[in-house]
Amino acid sequence: MYFTMKRFFTSMVMTLSVTIGVMAQGLPPYMDDSKPLETRVKDALSRMTLEEKVALCHAQSKFSSAGVPRLGIPEIWMSDGPHGVRAEINWNNWGHAEWTNDSCTAFPALTCLAATWNPQMSLLYGRMVGEEARYRSKDILLGPGVNIYRTPLNGRNFEYMGEDPYLASVMVVPYVQGLQSNGVAACVKHYALNNQERWRGHIDVQVSDRALREIYLPAFKAAATEGGAWSFMGSYNKFRGEHACSNKILLRDILKDEWQWDGVVVTDWGGCHDTYTSAMHGLDIEMGTGTNGLTSEAEFTYDDYYLGKEYRKMLKEGKIPMSVLDEQASRILRLIFRTSMNPRHPYGRFTCQDHYDACRQIADEGIVLLKNEGGLLPIDANRYNRILVVGENGTKSLTEGGGSSELKVKREISPLEGLQAVYGSKVTYAQGYQSGRFLYAREDAVDEATQQRLRREAVEKAREADLIVFVGGLNKNYLQDCEGGDRIQYGLPFGQEELIDELATLKKPIVMVLLTGNAVAMPWLKKVGAVVQGWYIGSEAGEALADVLSGAVNPSGKLPFTFPVKLEDNAAHSFGQLAYPGDSIREEYMEDILVGYRWHDTKKIAPQFAFGHGLSYTTFKYSKPVLSSKQLSAGGKITVSVDVTNTGSREGKEVVQLYIGDDKCSVLRPVKELKHFHKVSLKPGETKEVSFVITPDDLQFYDGGWKTEPGSFTVHIGSSSRDIRGKAQFRLL
């Protein structure tokens, strides 16, 4: 109640203040939205006291920061994302406010969005989730996340867009633009190098300038310079000895000076650790100090924050220049004028049918068919009379848990419900295994007797089935796909592998549906006929999975990261503990630029499933790629064209991927790197030309600066990083 009344009275005070001001002297420039943005910012800044400016720079509640009531400038209200608008949190603790009108739409996790390889889906996603945030009066949605998938054990990989910087860059820009079209700021996170959850609050990441620029920063740069993101969230970890939220290299030198970005840097909750360096190095708003971002709570006031009373004191004593505060306040005012004080933003909408339709469409395009031996899929209703769905994930809510991305949903259709809607009474269910209850502080293990009982019941039911659909994988519990901790094993947990082994002895066809945000080991791969990577796909999970399994939708998703056969095949796990997870203090990215498929290609390590892999219920034929020229000059361009034909009997979508390899270079380079892609829809027998434009920028590497070297380059056109359908060469002059 306090939370609600506080917002109400603050709004009333601001409205009264503005009304009195307008009546007395006309509309001040900062309130006149017809004035240029920077004019409004300068005018508002000139009217503010030091105390009012400082108040802008730190939290006033768990998810808001102060405005300037005297001037009618409203507060900034934030909400966790990026897959939906989180339930309301209490004013001053982590408890839920228990509202009855904050049950949202759960959109697919960002791994699924990345797996669509379709920027139009990203634009739709951003626009729809932005409508929900605007309806809930949020000014900042804390997302999207674009940290690079470095290890399959990272608990938050499901919130990010895969292992490739180009794919993540292309997909993040429309998300940001769609979200901000609603007058809601994207807060792109976690900047930067937050590639694991273990020891995230203090691990000191050591990475080369080259890997930083080529792998870990491009998606952030695209969000800032192409997407025009209005805010960034600093990460918890350190980089070269300084916490990211007060890191001069990341915040001041690169983000604000080099990229000329005009937005606001917000800490991750509890990510600020001092006053002087935070202010001097580019932090703007401090949130969550005294907490671990999830559960803990310190007993002090918001004015006790580093950018609170100590900051005022240092400013008054001249230890920090007033120009630093003015820059911070200007950035925050700019954000307010773009969001809550933008009279042209829409009202927003919440849990609408078209939001559910968008969820389903994105999930339909993001689900990946990994294996389909003998055409087991789609499931023919005339062929199978008894379909057994096995697995806890067939009924478990996968929108709950996971940390800050948890969602309170109005509607969530389970895989079991989705299949029952299509196949009716033919579908029965057995739980098969139990995950137990995992808290943030400890694990409550399920006793083996319970697991054996559930396993035995599933096997007995399977004896009577014609087809087994195993819906398993991971979940959002602690030490699974969850904030605050990394996975503790690469294989499937909760006895799922033993269950699959027993089911396989029945010699029944098995379809494996993996609901995960991460790659998993697959020692059981040869024992199942089909494998579907289903991700965490939100409110319409059951309907979307049923779309693909039944054949109502032809799968077109492609993996946004590599599935290694074993954990040691992953680059981060190839150099010992110091490379991952570190020695608890320091971590070195010894694989440098060879992340994901770059590592597998260069080291000739076959993956279980390659980056960009994804099957279809139809087939596609590629022509030989044709280059408009065999020579590329500085400032010039080459067009690469390829004909793609649907040679099957069903309409389908194919992602044509263009990789480029530098045949000889003065520095180590991967065998090839993704530089362009295009998703094309083809009817049976239809042929379309797909064209890409290559410029010298596509050939750059970082070595003290961005460089290109003359010489020979190879274009690889393929259906995945390993399924290359054609090659061509050209020379850079």
Side-chain angles (χ1 to χ4, degrees):
M1 178 60 70
Y2 172 78
F3 175 72
T4 306
M5 295 301 292
K6 163 70 175 175
R7 294 189 67 174
F8 172 76
F9 283 118
T10 299
S11 177
M12 290 293 291
V13 168
M14 290 181 179
T15 301
L16 183 61
S17 173
V18 173
T19 301
I20 292 172
V22 170
M23 291 173 62
Q25 58 184 14
L27 197 67
Y30 74 91
M31 295 295 294
D32 186 352
D33 69 284
S34 68
K35 300 287 187 184
L37 178 62
E38 295 310 309
T39 298
R40 298 176 67 194
V41 169
K42 290 178 181 178
D43 180 63
L45 187 70
S46 70
R47 299 168 185 265
M48 293 171 62
T49 66
L50 180 147
E51 287 74 16
E52 288 171 333
K53 294 175 186 177
V54 170
L56 294 179
C57 298
H58 62 81
Q60 64 164 10
S61 76
K62 273 289 169 282
F63 280 91
S64 71
S65 58
V68 189
R70 181 179 64 85
L71 299 179
I73 296 173
E75 307 153 325
I76 294 175
W77 286 91
M78 311 173 193
S79 176
D80 274 316
H83 310 131
V85 187
R86 189 180 185 182
E88 292 296 330
I89 303 298
N90 287 332
W91 180 266
N92 199 35
N93 63 51
W94 288 110
H96 289 151
E98 303 298 340
W99 288 15
T100 58
N101 61 350
D102 57 350
S103 297
C104 71
T105 304
F107 293 86
L110 292 191
T111 44
C112 178
L113 176 62
T116 69
W117 290 59
N118 187 343
Q120 290 303 310
M121 291 296 99
S122 192
L123 181 65
L124 175 66
Y125 193 124
R127 186 164 58 85
M128 295 291 102
V129 75
E131 287 182 352
E132 300 225 341
R134 173 46 58 205
Y135 183 86
R136 290 267 300 281
S137 299
K138 304 305 180 185
D139 304 306
I140 299 178
L141 186 72
L142 304 177
V146 291
N147 292 106
I148 291 297
Y149 187 112
R150 179 176 178 254
T151 163
L153 300 187
N154 181 13
R156 294 188 87 170
N157 277 334
F158 71 96
E159 294 188 47
Y160 303 141
M161 296 190 182
E163 73 185 26
D164 184 76
Y166 179 77
L167 175 62
S169 296
V170 171
M171 295 300 289
V172 72
V173 169
Y175 181 113
V176 169
Q177 293 171 336
L179 174 61
Q180 295 187 168
S181 69
N182 292 281
V184 178
C187 191
V188 185
K189 61 186 188 183
H190 303 90
Y191 184 74
L193 300 163
N194 187 180
N195 306 115
Q196 67 190 58
E197 289 298 285
R198 189 174 182 184
W199 301 320
R200 67 176 183 173
H202 64 270
I203 194 71
D204 189 1
V205 175
Q206 307 298 312
V207 63
S208 71
D209 285 341
R210 187 177 176 204
L212 181 70
R213 298 289 189 151
E214 292 189 21
I215 303 297
Y216 297 103
L217 291 189
F220 287 106
K221 182 179 181 181
T225 62
E226 298 175 45
W230 294 337
S231 66
F232 267 41
M233 179 187 287
S235 58
Y236 284 122
N237 52 281
K238 292 180 179 179
F239 167 56
R240 297 181 185 170
E242 279 191 329
H243 278 98
C245 288
S246 57
N247 191 286
K248 182 176 181 295
I249 296 173
L250 293 176
L251 301 185
R252 177 59 62 194
D253 297 347
I254 296 176
L255 179 61
K256 292 187 171 181
D257 291 348
E258 182 181 328
W259 296 349
Q260 291 293 291
W261 181 71
D262 68 357
V264 169
V265 174
V266 182
T267 65
D268 205 337
W269 270 232
C272 186
H273 298 274
D274 67 84
T275 300
Y276 181 82
T277 58
S278 296
M280 294 297 292
H281 291 176
L283 178 64
D284 298 308
I285 298 179
E286 175 190 2
M287 300 296 295
T289 296
T291 81
N292 64 359
L294 288 171
T295 54
S296 70
E297 201 74 37
E299 294 184 0
F300 56 77
T301 70
Y302 292 102
D303 199 40
D304 290 322
Y305 276 31
Y306 293 104
L307 296 186
K309 63 184 179 184
E310 177 65 20
Y311 190 25
R312 289 198 305 272
K313 181 174 181 289
M314 295 182 76
L315 286 161
K316 290 177 179 180
E317 292 174 350
K319 295 178 180 178
I320 297 177
M322 290 293 181
S323 60
V324 172
L325 175 62
D326 284 345
E327 182 197 343
Q328 290 170 302
S330 294
R331 288 177 180 271
I332 297 166
L333 289 168
R334 190 178 296 124
L335 175 66
I336 293 172
F337 292 148
R338 285 167 165 168
T339 56
S340 58
M341 289 186 71
N342 173 12
R344 295 177 179 82
H345 67 61
Y347 293 109
R349 297 178 304 138
F350 204 59
T351 59
C352 307
Q353 184 57 47
D354 60 336
H355 290 187
Y356 293 125
D357 292 342
C359 285
R360 187 169 178 175
Q361 185 180 2
I362 293 163
D364 282 345
E365 286 214 20
I367 293 171
V368 182
L369 179 59
L370 296 178
K371 176 183 177 181
N372 194 19
E373 193 174 76
L376 178 57
L377 293 177
I379 298 170
D380 185 349
N382 297 319
R383 183 177 178 184
Y384 302 108
N385 291 317
R386 293 167 296 183
I387 301 171
L388 178 67
V389 175
V390 177
E392 185 184 67
N393 279 358
T395 59
K396 184 180 177 67
S397 173
L398 294 173
T399 59
E400 299 173 356
S404 61
S405 65
E406 67 171 6
L407 295 174
K408 175 184 174 183
V409 296
K410 183 177 180 180
R411 161 175 154 182
E412 182 176 5
I413 300 172
S414 72
L416 177 62
E417 291 169 328
L419 288 169
Q420 286 174 332
V422 174
Y423 297 102
S425 60
K426 292 183 176 183
V427 177
T428 56
Y429 175 69
Q431 182 175 335
Y433 68 91
Q434 185 174 325
S435 64
R437 185 167 179 240
F438 290 66
L439 306 177
Y440 284 116
R442 73 180 201 275
E443 172 184 336
D444 290 330
V446 178
D447 64 273
E448 183 57 29
T450 299
Q451 298 290 32
Q452 288 181 1
R453 175 179 58 79
L454 293 171
R455 192 179 309 154
R456 186 167 55 250
E457 290 172 357
V459 172
E460 288 304 311
K461 288 186 178 182
R463 294 184 193 279
E464 306 301 319
D466 301 317
L467 174 70
I468 300 167
V469 179
F470 193 111
V471 185
L474 307 176
N475 59 34
K476 298 289 192 64
N477 293 348
Y478 184 53
L479 304 181
Q480 297 297 308
D481 283 326
C482 183
E483 180 180 357
D486 286 349
R487 295 166 62 194
I488 56 177
Q489 64 185 58
Y490 185 42
L492 291 177
F494 320 126
Q496 291 178 80
E497 293 180 355
E498 292 84 350
L499 176 57
I500 296 169
D501 288 343
E502 291 194 32
L503 292 171
T505 64
L506 302 178
K507 305 300 181 185
K508 304 289 181 74
I510 301 175
V511 175
M512 184 69 184
V513 178
L514 286 170
L515 302 185
T516 77
N518 261 307
V520 297
M522 299 184 181
W524 39 262
L525 183 59
K526 293 182 180 179
K527 299 175 183 178
V528 301
V531 182
V532 173
Q533 179 60 38
W535 313 113
Y536 301 121
I537 45 182
S539 288
E540 300 299 292
E543 291 192 349
L545 284 168
D547 284 342
V548 170
L549 294 176
S550 69
V553 166
N554 194 348
S556 62
K558 300 281 188 175
L559 289 180
F561 51 80
T562 304
F563 275 53
V565 175
K566 57 184 184 296
L567 193 59
E568 294 75 18
D569 291 344
N570 173 269
H573 294 269
S574 299
F575 295 94
Q577 178 179 325
L578 193 57
Y580 176 86
D583 61 7
S584 84
I585 302 299
R586 176 185 172 95
E587 182 179 29
E588 296 183 13
Y589 286 17
M590 298 179 182
E591 73 280 10
D592 202 50
I593 62 166
L594 298 181
V595 176
Y597 69 90
R598 290 166 167 82
W599 172 263
H600 283 263
D601 285 354
T602 305
K603 300 298 182 180
K604 296 181 172 59
I605 301 171
Q608 189 77 76
F609 291 107
F611 172 80
H613 171 75
L615 303 176
S616 170
Y617 295 149
T618 190
T619 53
F620 300 98
K621 181 181 178 181
Y622 289 56
S623 71
K624 184 177 180 180
V626 176
L627 274 59
S628 61
S629 174
K630 294 288 187 179
Q631 295 184 332
L632 177 61
S633 60
K637 63 182 181 181
I638 290 176
T639 300
V640 181
S641 301
V642 61
D643 289 337
V644 183
T645 303
N646 183 340
T647 54
S649 58
R650 297 186 48 135
E651 183 174 358
K653 296 177 181 178
E654 170 71 332
V655 179
V656 183
Q657 302 162 40
L658 184 150
Y659 300 81
I660 296 179
D662 191 342
D663 296 340
K664 186 178 180 180
C665 187
S666 61
V667 298
L668 172 68
R669 303 198 73 176
V671 172
K672 58 183 180 297
E673 298 174 283
L674 181 72
K675 294 299 180 181
H676 297 283
F677 62 86
H678 181 72
K679 195 166 195 175
V680 59
S681 180
L682 295 165
K683 296 177 181 178
E686 184 178 13
T687 298
K688 288 183 180 178
E689 182 182 79
V690 177
S691 297
F692 304 101
V693 175
I694 298 174
T695 70
D697 285 349
D698 294 318
L699 313 179
Q700 292 181 330
F701 60 91
Y702 193 87
D703 187 16
W706 290 103
K707 299 178 180 179
T708 55
E709 289 183 350
S712 175
F713 292 83
T714 299
V715 175
H716 306 255
I717 300 285
S719 184
S720 80
S721 62
R722 285 286 171 131
D723 184 6
I724 301 301
R725 305 293 182 90
K727 298 181 182 181
Q729 287 186 310
F730 67 91
R731 291 193 64 83
L732 176 66
L733 301 178

